[in-house]
Amino acid sequence: LHSRRDFPPPAIFYLYRHQKQRRNSVIFRSKATLLIKMSENTEVEAKRVFIGAGCNRVVNNVSWGASGLVSFGAQNAVAIFCPKTAQILTTLPGHKASVNCTHWLPSSKFAFKAKHLDRHYLLSGDTDGVIILWELSTNSNNQWRHVLQLPRSHKKGVTCITAFMCSETDAMFASGSSDGVVNVWDVSFPSQPSEECKVSCLDSISADSKAIVTLSLAELPQNPGRFTLAMGGLDNKIKLYCGERTGKFTSVCELKGHTDWIRSLDFSLPLHSTDEPTNSIMLVSSSQDKVIRIWKLVLVGDVGSWQREITLASYIEGPVFDSGRFTYQVSVESVLIGHEDWVYSVEWQPPVDHHQPLSILSASMDKTMMIWRPEKKTGVWVNVVCVGELSHCALGFYGGHWSPDGVSILAHGYGGSFHLWRNVSSSKEFENWQMQKVPSGHFAAVADITWARTGEYLLSVSQDQTTRVFSSWKSDEENEHWHELARPQVHGHDINCVAMVQGKGNHRFVSGAEEKVVRVFEAPLSFLKTLNHTCAGGEGSFPEDLQADVQVLGANMSALGLSQKPIYLHSSSEPLERNGGGEGLETFETVPEAAPVELKEPPIEDQLAFHTLWPESHKLYGHGNELFSLCCDHNGSLVASSCKAQSAAMAEIWLWEVGTWKAVGRLQSHSLTVTHLEFSYDDTLLLSVSRDRHFSVFSIQRTDDGDVSHKLMAKVEAHKRIIWACSWNPYGHQFATSSRDKTVKIWSIEKDAHVKQVLALPQFGSSVTAVAWTGLDQKEKSGCIAVGMENGLIELWNIKIKETEEEGTTATAALALRLEPFMCHVSAVNRLAWRPTESNQSLLRLTSCGDDNCVRVFDFKF
């Protein structure tokens, strides 16, 4: 099962599975070869429930394939989502750097050629210049496979990929890089399952000394086997190259007209007409000059038989070039002016039944997407559809994409968000584009995560300066569908830590960011009502009859994005005149009024970004540096906090009393940053771990008059490197610590208040950055420890505690499950948290977050 570990003598081996497998004898290989037959009760089944992730903020990051699925880069991972369910299906591990671009083979443009394909392919390129080819088998439950990594040909990051499907089993594609080099590749797909893909580099073109940011590849009209490649970069010119499928590409002409960087290029397929052969294709280009240009490439005759007349019109008609035995001319068909900011993306509508529609989708940083078509009578290109996030919170679109059937359009924006519209009209003359549900998530590293008190939702914080609530929504379908429920905090600093306030009463949480202030938030009435429409509902933790006391409907954000002011119930119908006619600095506050309402279906990005905020109720001052860790006791009476520290004075742990929010204690023990804090389940002990390689255990007591007393019980140098995380046993005073030294150690507090090490798990292959302990059986004192590593992998270990008078506390451990890489994170796991459950349950739910921008939820059946 695992060749690199020496298991301790008491260890029990466990078989794990992700799909139903035959229960045969399994050979496990460690130092010796062991033959062990597994029994029924030793299996742990893992199920992926949810992935939340935002899109990398780069232009060519998203691709909509003929398979109907959408691919995008989420930090180092390639994520795949289904637009029909608005769920991220999987993430593909393999890249070591941020993913810049993805491209399906075939893409939506060639969907008419791929109606019966069993296998689809995907290309992804990253900032290190690496390109990976993936395979999706649609006839075997959408299984993914890493096919190959292309030979390293780019010295700098891959910026764009374009492809042309020659047939169902053959394609050409080109990749551009920020070093100005464009490589042209040929790929042959296997016709039999036993065969493999074959990829070869046809040509390498040093097109420019500066970056190439967009490419488009097309077959020349009436000239099979000859292709044209359009390139756009930073010199405001479109470069056209021509070449054969087996030969070199040569420069044939440059198209001038744009006055700023070329941002997007897309060739149409050949234009079919009833009265003449297909002798022309079109190229659409967009630029940072806010203008879209349509170029027409026309076959004008055989080489030598056509000669241009020297007239004034010849200057307008554009350049002429030869390819093979034909001559072609490129001319400007139309210039489209309508966007008010950089146009990042243009794309032709995918053909239907081999017919290329004259319809172009453009996406711009002016927060709009437009569909352009020529008028039937005049032939003049006009904007017929305009959609977009017109609120202040959207900072524009990086790209727009058509669905294969041409009835949906997808944009991805500056905030890592997706925006999907679908034409729901049944009439061909009238179009009605309505917003649809899309997946969402953080677009930067997720630093911390926690469950609500009874597990009805989870709360995550990120370096993208947001706090997000995720929950499953009620639906008629069998599968559980998770969506982002609210965005309680949109801040002006990166957020490092979060803790839910336990106990009775309204939902509250505390968060700490790259500032010295701990902020307290309380759920508004709009959120409490929305919670009733989730699968868990809101009755369990805060009954509806008590919600009548909540007088805050929602919150407004300040102009600087640091404080969130409450909107009271009685004044909600009278919006405040916040920017009405003020002079001076007040005129810069252009943030509109929020309109919080009860949501009966998953909110869209515009609602999330501004209308689901929670009001900030308190600020807690005291720390001298940026906040790093937070935790709350299980009774909901104390919150502990720590900040970044280089000295013992700054490494103090502060205790805050919930309700009054007064500082009631300052605990001193560590000399460097306290990285993690956690109260024991009986709330009598507080455990802290630090960069100084020590852990400390404090006793926390309440006096008769309500004061809090604290005492340092133990301080132990536990690891050889920084300690990243800790977790208490739910059934006793044992705890686990995890460290950069690749170890997890189990400790016990004995009756004489002495701390002893009872077990060390075998050394892991990577730094252990997260650990979480949950109980399985209270009578047996058995539990499960989830271990998260710097390489993104997650393992589960069964732990059994035994206490005797003679030996004291002892423990045994067994590997229960090692998750497949396709289910895990692709970068460091920052936090693991088990959902609060009743004791002795066989189905457990775990959530994790990491540097790959992802929030993940798993179900484990023991």
Side-chain angles (χ1 to χ4, degrees):
L1 181 65
H2 202 327
S3 60
R4 63 175 167 81
R5 297 202 183 159
D6 299 329
F7 286 86
I12 306 164
F13 291 91
Y14 282 79
L15 171 68
Y16 71 96
R17 60 174 184 163
H18 304 295
Q19 297 173 343
K20 289 186 178 178
Q21 299 173 348
R22 289 180 298 173
R23 296 182 177 93
N24 294 340
S25 298
V26 180
I27 296 177
F28 298 87
R29 300 189 186 276
S30 56
K31 279 194 172 179
T33 300
L34 302 175
L35 185 66
I36 300 177
K37 187 168 183 176
M38 310 314 301
S39 61
E40 291 280 338
N41 60 356
T42 57
E43 294 179 359
V44 178
E45 292 186 46
K47 178 187 175 185
R48 179 171 45 214
V49 177
F50 169 68
I51 302 173
C55 182
N56 288 345
R57 300 192 291 176
V58 286
V59 178
N60 299 304
N61 194 26
V62 177
S63 179
W64 201 329
S67 61
L69 302 178
V70 176
S71 63
F72 66 95
Q75 209 247 1
N76 294 358
V78 179
I80 309 296
F81 89 79
C82 176
K84 292 181 181 178
T85 61
Q87 299 290 295
I88 297 177
L89 304 179
T90 189
T91 54
L92 310 178
H95 288 283
K96 304 298 182 187
S98 180
V99 176
N100 266 353
C101 52
T102 62
H103 193 89
W104 282 92
L105 298 172
S107 63
S108 58
K109 179 190 283 190
F110 296 96
F112 68 96
K113 289 186 177 181
K115 292 181 179 179
H116 307 291
L117 288 182
D118 293 333
R119 283 176 285 186
H120 292 254
Y121 295 86
L122 177 67
L123 291 161
S124 58
D126 65 26
T127 54
D128 279 350
V130 172
I131 300 174
I132 296 178
L133 179 65
W134 311 87
E135 179 189 84
L136 168 66
S137 298
T138 54
N139 57 357
S140 59
N141 200 21
N142 282 0
Q143 281 195 340
W144 283 90
R145 185 171 70 93
H146 180 292
V147 179
L148 56 89
Q149 179 176 316
L150 271 63
R152 192 70 171 267
S153 55
H154 292 295
K155 296 179 181 178
K156 293 186 178 180
V158 181
T159 55
C160 50
I161 297 174
T162 185
F164 186 91
M165 294 295 296
C166 304
S167 67
E168 288 189 355
T169 57
D170 290 293
M172 283 181 67
F173 68 91
S175 57
S177 169
S178 53
D179 60 7
V181 173
V182 175
N183 291 324
V184 183
W185 307 80
D186 179 81
V187 57
S188 298
F189 304 122
S191 55
Q192 300 295 329
S194 58
E195 299 176 358
E196 284 293 334
C197 291
K198 297 177 182 178
V199 179
S200 58
C201 186
L202 299 178
D203 197 5
S204 184
I205 307 165
S206 296
D208 202 332
S209 59
K210 298 177 181 177
I212 296 295
V213 296
T214 179
L215 296 168
S216 187
L217 187 63
E219 191 173 46
L220 287 168
Q222 303 292 321
N223 208 341
R226 287 193 170 269
F227 294 85
T228 179
L229 176 63
M231 308 177 188
L234 313 187
D235 60 358
N236 312 345
K237 302 172 186 175
I238 301 169
K239 301 178 177 65
L240 282 189
Y241 283 72
C242 285
E244 295 183 69
R245 178 138 187 227
T246 56
K248 297 290 182 180
F249 277 70
T250 56
S251 176
V252 291
C253 67
E254 290 183 345
L255 307 181
K256 300 176 182 179
H258 287 293
T259 58
D260 208 333
W261 294 3
I262 311 297
R263 273 301 181 177
S264 182
L265 296 167
D266 190 32
F267 274 113
S268 71
L269 290 177
L271 303 175
H272 286 268
S273 180
T274 55
D275 55 351
E276 61 182 26
T278 306
N279 64 351
S280 63
I281 57 175
M282 286 194 179
L283 171 68
V284 60
S285 62
S286 69
S287 166
Q288 290 182 186
D289 62 9
K290 311 175 189 176
V291 173
I292 301 167
R293 287 176 174 264
I294 303 174
W295 313 80
K296 194 169 187 178
L297 191 153
V298 184
L299 189 155
V300 292
D302 295 337
V303 173
S305 65
W306 183 84
Q307 189 172 2
R308 171 184 285 184
E309 296 180 11
I310 306 300
T311 63
L312 184 61
S314 64
Y315 289 95
I316 302 172
E317 289 170 350
V320 175
F321 65 89
D322 297 333
S323 182
R325 60 190 184 88
F326 292 116
T327 300
Y328 297 90
Q329 183 176 31
V330 185
S331 58
V332 177
E333 174 76 7
S334 186
V335 177
L336 312 182
I337 300 174
H339 285 292
E340 298 176 356
D341 209 333
W342 299 355
V343 185
Y344 265 133
S345 164
V346 282
E347 188 174 290
W348 288 96
Q349 182 176 337
V352 181
D353 297 327
H354 296 74
H355 171 68
Q356 172 68 65
L358 290 176
S359 181
I360 295 170
L361 175 69
S362 62
S364 168
M365 283 299 282
D366 66 4
K367 311 171 191 174
T368 62
M369 281 205 301
M370 295 182 180
I371 298 177
W372 306 80
R373 297 192 185 108
E375 287 186 330
K376 291 182 179 179
K377 293 182 179 179
T378 64
V380 176
W381 286 78
V382 293
N383 163 27
V384 294
V385 175
C386 181
V387 295
E389 294 289 341
L390 301 177
S391 68
H392 79 287
C393 51
L395 291 175
F397 296 144
Y398 275 135
H401 304 273
W402 290 96
S403 63
D405 57 8
V407 298
S408 297
I409 52 176
L410 176 75
H412 64 104
Y414 181 83
S417 56
F418 288 105
H419 311 260
L420 179 65
W421 288 268
R422 184 174 179 83
N423 182 14
V424 297
S425 173
S426 57
S427 169
K428 292 185 177 180
E429 297 180 359
F430 175 74
E431 296 183 44
N432 182 15
W433 294 85
Q434 296 291 327
M435 288 204 77
Q436 307 293 308
K437 290 182 290 186
V438 287
S440 64
H442 295 283
F443 58 88
V446 188
D448 202 357
I449 198 164
T450 184
W451 285 98
R453 294 171 299 199
T454 56
E456 58 265 63
Y457 60 87
L458 59 88
L459 191 71
S460 61
V461 296
S462 166
Q463 292 176 10
D464 69 3
Q465 305 183 352
T466 65
T467 300
R468 304 184 189 227
V469 171
F470 297 96
S471 181
S472 57
W473 282 81
K474 293 177 182 176
S475 68
D476 298 331
E477 301 177 32
E478 291 184 5
N479 293 329
E480 187 179 3
H481 285 173
W482 281 62
H483 297 277
E484 191 174 344
L485 175 64
R487 209 165 289 172
Q489 185 183 9
V490 179
H491 203 41
H493 296 290
D494 296 358
I495 308 176
N496 295 329
C497 49
V498 68
M500 288 298 301
V501 177
Q502 305 298 316
K504 298 179 180 180
N506 196 1
H507 299 256
R508 288 175 293 182
F509 73 88
V510 289
S511 71
E514 291 288 323
E515 56 180 350
K516 304 173 185 179
V517 185
V518 180
R519 298 177 186 267
V520 185
F521 297 86
E522 189 163 337
L525 192 60
S526 58
F527 175 82
L528 298 175
K529 291 184 177 297
T530 299
L531 204 57
N532 293 326
H533 299 287
T534 64
C535 287
E539 284 291 314
S541 58
F542 193 44
E544 202 164 311
D545 56 342
L546 298 179
Q547 295 178 15
D549 296 332
V550 179
Q551 295 297 311
V552 177
L553 185 62
N556 272 314
M557 188 191 300
S558 70
L560 295 177
L562 294 178
S563 294
Q564 294 169 193
K565 307 298 183 184
I567 299 174
Y568 291 98
L569 195 60
H570 57 81
S571 62
S572 62
S573 59
E574 302 173 8
L576 300 175
E577 295 293 332
R578 288 176 73 189
N579 306 316
E583 296 295 330
L585 292 176
E586 287 296 315
T587 58
F588 289 101
E589 291 198 22
T590 57
V591 182
E593 280 287 309
V597 293
E598 176 184 352
L599 300 170
K600 298 181 180 178
E601 59 183 19
I604 59 176
E605 178 67 21
D606 188 30
Q607 294 169 308
L608 285 169
F610 199 70
H611 304 298
T612 60
L613 294 170
W614 290 20
E616 184 182 305
S617 60
H618 293 84
K619 295 184 182 73
L620 311 182
Y621 296 95
H623 286 290
N625 284 329
E626 297 86 352
L627 271 295
F628 199 85
S629 182
L630 285 165
C631 75
C632 180
D633 66 2
H634 300 82
N635 191 38
S637 59
L638 288 176
V639 168
S641 62
S642 69
C643 71
K644 295 180 182 179
Q646 296 290 333
S647 64
M650 286 296 171
E652 284 183 329
I653 300 166
W654 285 61
L655 294 180
W656 311 87
E657 187 176 47
V658 173
T660 64
W661 297 109
K662 293 180 180 178
V664 294
R666 295 168 67 174
L667 285 56
Q668 296 181 340
S669 173
H670 296 285
S671 57
L672 293 173
T673 304
V674 174
T675 55
H676 198 195
L677 296 160
E678 192 167 305
F679 283 94
S680 62
Y681 280 75
D682 60 6
D683 290 337
T684 60
L685 301 172
L686 174 63
L687 173 64
S688 63
V689 295
S690 169
R691 298 183 73 96
D692 62 13
R693 308 174 186 179
H694 291 74
F695 70 74
S696 298
V697 181
F698 301 89
S699 67
I700 308 294
Q701 300 293 333
R702 285 263 184 191
T703 59
D704 295 336
D705 56 0
D707 293 336
V708 177
S709 65
H710 51 83
K711 178 185 176 183
L712 178 63
M713 284 180 55
K715 181 180 179 181
V716 177
E717 185 172 359
H719 292 269
K720 297 177 182 177
R721 305 289 299 276
I722 175 177
I723 308 177
W724 280 123
C726 59
S727 185
W728 284 97
N729 176 13
Y731 303 145
H733 283 178
Q734 294 80 36
F735 58 89
T737 58
S738 65
S739 167
R740 186 180 281 167
D741 65 10
K742 304 180 183 179
T743 62
V744 173
K745 296 181 180 180
I746 312 298
W747 308 80
S748 178
I749 300 175
E750 303 298 279
K751 293 180 179 178
D752 58 354
H754 170 68
V755 178
K756 78 167 187 176
Q757 180 181 332
V758 294
L759 186 67
L761 297 186
Q763 190 167 11
F764 292 83
S766 181
S767 169
V768 183
T769 52
V771 65
W773 195 331
T774 188
L776 292 177
D777 192 320
Q778 191 162 3
K779 290 182 180 178
E780 296 280 332
K781 290 194 174 180
S782 64
C784 180
I785 292 181
V787 176
M789 288 170 263
E790 195 172 34
N791 58 12
L793 300 182
I794 297 173
E795 295 184 7
L796 299 188
W797 285 76
N798 281 341
I799 300 291
K800 200 167 184 179
I801 302 294
K802 189 176 181 181
E803 294 176 331
T804 59
E805 291 290 337
E806 299 81 17
E807 298 182 18
T809 304
T810 58
T812 56
L815 176 66
L817 178 66
R818 180 175 298 114
L819 287 179
E820 292 177 350
F822 275 80
M823 295 183 74
C824 296
H825 294 269
V826 299
S827 297
V829 180
N830 288 329
R831 189 74 73 230
L832 294 165
W834 292 99
R835 181 181 181 180
T837 56
E838 298 296 327
S839 182
N840 304 336
Q841 285 200 354
S842 61
L843 184 65
L844 298 177
R845 178 160 284 182
L846 176 73
T847 184
S848 64
C849 65
D851 280 346
D852 60 356
N853 310 353
C854 289
V855 172
R856 297 170 188 263
V857 179
F858 307 95
D859 275 349
F860 298 107
K861 190 174 183 180
F862 285 82

